[in-house]
Amino acid sequence: MKVAKKLGGLTMAPFEPADASAVQAVFNGTADEDQQRRAMRWLLEGACRIHETSFSPDNDRMTIFHEGQRFVGKQIAEMLRTDVRGLLASLQTRSEV
């Protein structure tokens, strides 16, 4: 069963107790592989809403707020896709010049 708590006058993204447990385990450094995936999925898809539209037809400030949420998620998603070895090689090449 999902819950949606209030936070600072806004409603948090819905989450299940297992989502909260997974996020806590990641933060504490004790998460297993499934908890790590679950926490990242809730963060990106729930809290950051990366697969949803930012547009709020009745409130342009909420549109801006939602776009901020998505921007955080998009940055995290980009880091997940980053070729770290290629990036390190590129940085090494630059430092040698």
Side-chain angles (χ1 to χ4, degrees), residues 35-45 76 80:
Q35 287 175 311
Q36 291 173 44
R37 284 195 182 103
R38 184 179 193 117
M40 290 300 293
R41 189 175 305 112
W42 180 83
L43 179 65
L44 293 170
E45 297 173 3
I76 294 168
L80 292 172

Side-chain angles (χ1 to χ4, degrees), residues 27-94:
F27 184 82
N28 293 326
T30 59
D32 62 29
E33 190 174 317
D34 290 334
Q35 287 175 311
Q36 291 173 44
R37 284 195 182 103
R38 184 179 193 117
M40 290 300 293
R41 189 175 305 112
W42 180 83
L43 179 65
L44 293 170
E45 297 173 3
C48 293
R49 303 165 42 136
I50 65 169
H51 300 304
E52 296 180 30
T53 182
S54 300
F55 181 66
S56 180
D58 301 326
N59 188 333
D60 61 340
R61 290 185 183 268
M62 285 308 295
T63 298
I64 294 166
F65 180 79
H66 291 154
E67 193 55 29
Q69 287 177 301
R70 288 184 74 240
F71 183 66
V72 170
K74 292 291 190 177
Q75 290 178 82
I76 294 168
E78 185 61 28
M79 290 183 77
L80 292 172
R81 289 189 296 268
T82 296
D83 173 8
V84 177
R85 288 182 187 173
L87 179 61
L88 289 170
S90 173
L91 293 172
Q92 179 68 28
T93 301
R94 285 187 207 167

